[in-house]
Amino acid sequence: MGYDRRVMVRQRLGEIPANDTHPRLAVYTSGEPGWYVFRPMDQHGCEGTIDIPVKGSDLKAGWRRKLT
């Protein structure tokens, strides 16, 4: 079984601020076209070790436009 390209971090796109439903998130392009990798960040800006792959078509309205 090979490496899951959906969690392959390629290029940092930016951050999404924290709100009532999620922490601050760093956002990257993925090794799989059409996918993004989200990493939770703490209050000091340090990224966690959890990589969350999200299909571009599943992003909240407006997020995809901000990331491309």
Side-chain angles (χ1 to χ4, degrees), residues 16-17 19 21-23 25 27 36 38 54 56 58-68:
I16 295 175
N19 66 23
T21 61
H22 62 76
L25 299 166
V27 184
Y36 296 93
F38 288 74
V54 178
D58 292 339
L59 291 174
K60 289 184 179 182
W63 281 20
R64 185 184 203 164
R65 186 171 41 257
K66 290 178 184 179
L67 297 174
T68 56

Side-chain angles (χ1 to χ4, degrees), residues 9-56:
V9 171
R10 302 287 299 206
Q11 179 180 356
R12 192 169 200 266
L13 297 174
E15 296 177 12
I16 295 175
N19 66 23
D20 292 340
T21 61
H22 62 76
R24 186 167 143 195
L25 299 166
V27 184
Y28 295 84
T29 56
S30 170
E32 185 71 27
W35 286 77
Y36 296 93
V37 177
F38 288 74
R39 285 185 174 166
M41 301 172 71
D42 68 14
Q43 65 271 21
H44 304 291
C46 295
E47 295 178 15
T49 57
I50 297 173
D51 292 339
I52 305 164
V54 178
K55 191 172 185 177

